[in-house]
Amino acid sequence: MSLARTYRRLVKLLMVGLLQQMLFAQTAPHEVSARNGVYTAAQAQQGKTMYQNQCGMCHGDAQNSPLTGTAFLNNWTGQTVADLFMKTIVMMPAMDPGTMSPKDTADVIAYILSANKFPAGKTELPSDPQSLEMIHIVKP
């Protein structure tokens, strides 16, 4: 392949990449707060079961642990749900880190949000970090 042809191919690839970025930037979802109902009540219930089986032995009852109330808000306010998701999926459960599926992790986080009195909504909390990056954890 000639140098000129390689250069043209590289320029085309760069232009396609730039075009994709421009299109994504125009259609990117707006940022929301965890106070906007970002999980469903059913998902939080599924997460409660998972929490009891996977998390409760170390964290205790979610209602009385550092995962709720002032301790939770002081630690996570200003961060995104993606931050919480990534820490959870990589580091938990402590005895077998990284073994929870993305779906199970999202369910547990939905339960934690529920335990922190963030309202439920009509759509399940997504299980991909890119979508969760748009959801900010804020104090009431």
Side-chain angles (χ1 to χ4, degrees):
M1 187 179 300
S2 73
L3 185 59
R5 186 173 177 176
T6 302
Y7 179 75
R8 282 193 303 272
R9 179 176 263 175
L10 180 60
V11 168
K12 284 180 185 177
L13 287 172
L14 288 172
M15 291 185 69
V16 167
L18 287 172
L19 180 59
Q20 287 176 335
Q21 286 182 343
M22 288 171 45
L23 289 173
F24 177 75
Q26 291 175 358
T27 61
H30 65 285
E31 293 180 359
V32 297
S33 155
R35 300 231 171 264
N36 294 108
V38 295
Y39 66 91
T40 65
Q43 183 182 27
Q45 190 59 44
Q46 291 171 341
K48 181 178 183 178
T49 301
M50 178 63 64
Y51 179 93
Q52 291 168 336
N53 293 334
Q54 296 288 325
C55 315
M57 68 181 85
C58 294
H59 292 286
D61 178 20
Q63 300 300 324
N64 300 312
S65 81
L67 297 175
T68 58
T70 303
F72 177 83
L73 289 173
N74 286 343
N75 192 41
W76 291 101
T77 294
Q79 298 188 58
T80 67
V81 175
D83 297 322
L84 178 58
F85 178 89
M86 292 307 297
K87 182 172 184 174
T88 304
I89 200 164
V90 170
M91 299 180 73
M92 300 296 152
M95 300 304 236
D96 202 7
T99 58
M100 288 175 52
S101 72
K103 168 78 168 98
D104 289 342
T105 303
D107 291 351
V108 167
I109 291 172
Y111 173 60
I112 292 169
L113 293 174
S114 171
N116 279 285
K117 309 289 190 255
F118 289 100
K122 296 179 181 179
T123 306
E124 283 199 352
L125 187 69
S127 59
D128 68 286
Q130 283 183 320
S131 296
L132 297 173
E133 191 69 36
M134 300 295 162
I135 305 169
H136 294 269
I137 299 171
V138 297
K139 287 186 178 180

